[in-house]
Amino acid sequence: MSIETVKEVVEWLKDFRPDPVTFTFHGGEPLLAGAEFYRQALPLLVNGLPHLEPNFALQTNLWRMTPEMAEVLAEYKIPIGSSLDGPKDLNDLQRTKGYYDKTMRGYEIARDHGLSVQFICTFTSYSVKHREEIFNFFLENGLTLKLHPALPSLRSSDPDKWALDPQEYGELLIYLLDKYLDNMGRIEVRNIDDLCRCVLTGRGTVCTYVDCMDNTFAVGPDGSIYPCYRFVGMDKYVMGNVRDRPSMEDLAKSDAWKLLHTFKDYVDRECKGCKHLRYCRGGCPYNAIVPTSEEIGGVDPHCVAYRRIFDEINERFNKEMFGSFGLETESASRPSARDGRPGIMTLMQKIVSK
């Protein structure tokens, strides 16, 4: 993206809507833009849109992190997300040889400059078998764990090779919930926090579960506007261009907007009997729409996993709540706070106190 496009973004957003905004620099690889790009772009966004109270985030593999780049990002306290799938051998098997070392070199530079770095761990059909090794890696290295399930590839002749089965994903989430409770205070498992927050607040509070239509947009290098960064580069999902200063009403006329709202209507109709509808919303629209060639005939394929973990959180919460009033039954099969480990109530309290 050029600085000229950043200026166009500023002009577009000046009168687009009054809500605070977070700008996430995503890929390709955003560090390829170089330190000078951020040295110019960040003050343009901050000074040009003070009424939107801009915040920033950046998603990168960290390979191009330099002390100069870290200094620029640190001035604006920009949190960084990166990818790391566990120990070196396992990570490089799934990504590429040398990936781990290059990422960790960048991580050390970012950390030494006071930048917050959190890693996303992609669990695949292979790595899920090493879940304990992966958890211990993040625990022992003092790293926050945020996980992502591998989906079938849209560009492979063997699309399901690495894909994580939804049932296995659900069991992985239960496993991580137990491990998190066993190690409370020693590690943060972001997904579990987010899932509990959804149940606690009764609404989606994080990407995948949040009702993102009309609220999240992505701008491509040429100024094209998309409903989410995952759609960038896919022509049929272009909603407009920042150079034309489209209003929300203008974006609503696009085919992409209409398709995503068709998905929203589908979820309201087909999931109306699900007790988790308020905070799940059918999962990620991209996951539901794109792999099926834009034919809306289902929700996010990981619905099975979402329902599994939401059921578990609700069951444990109710058990602990009613148990505190002496109404606990003998039917629960899983351990509770009374077995010596902190329970869901403790985790909920931790989330509220943040």
Side-chain angles (χ1 to χ4, degrees):
M1 180 178 288
S2 68
I3 290 298
E4 289 307 311
T5 301
V6 174
K7 292 178 180 177
E8 296 286 358
V9 169
V10 170
E11 293 304 314
W12 170 50
L13 290 179
K14 279 182 178 178
D15 300 311
F16 182 68
R17 65 182 186 191
D19 313 280
V21 64
T22 296
F23 293 97
T24 299
F25 296 97
H26 219 285
E29 172 46 56
L31 294 190
L32 287 171
E36 185 57 32
F37 170 82
Y38 291 98
R39 196 174 281 117
Q40 296 181 54
L42 294 170
L44 280 172
L45 294 166
V46 169
N47 299 329
L49 301 168
H51 62 297
L52 300 184
E53 304 172 20
N55 284 303
F56 302 99
L58 187 142
Q59 186 70 30
T60 168
N61 60 22
L62 290 169
W63 296 5
R64 293 298 184 105
M65 181 61 70
T66 63
E68 180 187 14
M69 178 71 76
E71 287 174 7
V72 175
L73 300 179
E75 182 179 349
Y76 291 85
K77 299 180 173 61
I78 298 180
I80 293 174
S82 191
S83 294
L84 200 66
D85 294 347
K88 180 177 178 178
D89 290 349
L90 195 152
N91 177 85
D92 286 4
L93 173 68
Q94 293 194 166
R95 295 189 175 271
T96 188
K97 186 176 181 180
Y99 189 108
Y100 180 94
D101 288 338
K102 286 185 280 189
T103 294
M104 293 308 287
R105 278 197 296 270
Y107 167 65
E108 290 168 3
I109 293 171
R111 182 195 58 196
D112 290 347
H113 284 78
L115 289 165
S116 171
V117 180
Q118 296 190 351
F119 290 106
I120 298 173
C121 176
T122 297
F123 277 87
T124 67
S125 57
Y126 175 80
S127 67
V128 73
K129 299 175 178 63
H130 300 271
R131 62 188 189 179
E132 183 171 5
E133 181 183 356
I134 293 170
F135 180 86
N136 289 337
F137 168 82
F138 280 86
L139 177 67
E140 292 163 6
N141 287 280
L143 302 175
T144 295
L145 174 59
K146 183 177 181 181
L147 63 138
H148 170 75
L151 287 162
S153 172
L154 300 179
R155 301 179 177 86
S156 172
S157 57
D158 186 9
D160 294 319
K161 178 179 179 181
W162 296 99
L164 182 61
D165 176 77
Q167 189 67 44
E168 279 195 290
Y169 181 34
E171 291 303 316
L172 172 65
L173 290 171
I174 301 296
Y175 169 82
L176 290 173
L177 172 60
D178 286 333
K179 295 293 287 187
Y180 194 12
L181 295 177
D182 285 338
N183 293 277
M184 186 77 72
R186 298 180 61 206
I187 189 172
E188 180 180 7
V189 183
R190 287 286 303 277
N191 301 67
I192 303 301
D193 280 355
D194 293 335
L195 291 161
C196 288
R197 189 178 292 108
C198 286
V199 173
L200 184 65
T201 63
R203 63 184 179 86
T205 58
V206 68
C207 184
T208 299
Y209 311 109
V210 71
D211 201 348
C212 58
M213 273 77 86
D214 320 345
N215 186 54
T216 300
F217 300 99
V219 178
D222 64 349
S224 294
I225 303 168
Y226 301 84
C228 168
Y229 78 91
R230 299 185 73 184
F231 294 102
V232 172
M234 304 171 72
D235 291 343
K236 69 185 306 175
Y237 289 101
V238 174
M239 307 170 76
N241 194 289
V242 295
R243 292 178 175 83
D244 299 323
R245 314 285 190 268
S247 65
M248 192 75 83
E249 291 73 21
D250 293 328
L251 297 181
K253 297 174 184 176
S254 67
D255 290 340
W257 177 293
K258 293 173 184 175
L259 180 61
L260 265 70
H261 276 263
T262 300
F263 172 75
K264 188 174 182 177
D265 293 339
Y266 176 90
V267 169
D268 286 334
R269 183 177 66 252
E270 299 297 325
C271 300
K272 62 182 179 182
C274 178
K275 61 185 177 183
H276 309 304
L277 174 61
R278 286 181 305 152
Y279 45 78
C280 178
R281 299 299 310 156
C284 175
Y286 176 93
N287 290 351
I289 296 171
V290 174
T292 58
S293 301
E294 293 80 43
E295 292 182 7
I296 298 174
V299 295
D300 185 325
H302 282 120
C303 171
V304 171
Y306 306 152
R307 192 165 58 246
R308 179 78 177 86
I309 187 64
F310 282 134
D311 281 346
E312 187 74 20
I313 292 170
N314 274 282
E315 178 185 327
R316 295 192 190 193
F317 181 82
N318 289 332
K319 181 188 176 192
E320 291 179 29
M321 175 67 75
F322 290 123
S324 67
F325 293 109
L327 301 175
E328 187 175 1
T329 69
E330 298 298 326
S331 60
S333 60
R334 289 190 178 272
S336 71
R338 293 186 177 183
D339 297 303
R341 70 150 62 112
I344 288 292
M345 296 284 286
T346 304
L347 184 53
M348 296 289 196
Q349 291 168 356
K350 167 182 169 289
I351 292 169
V352 170
S353 66
K354 281 188 175 181

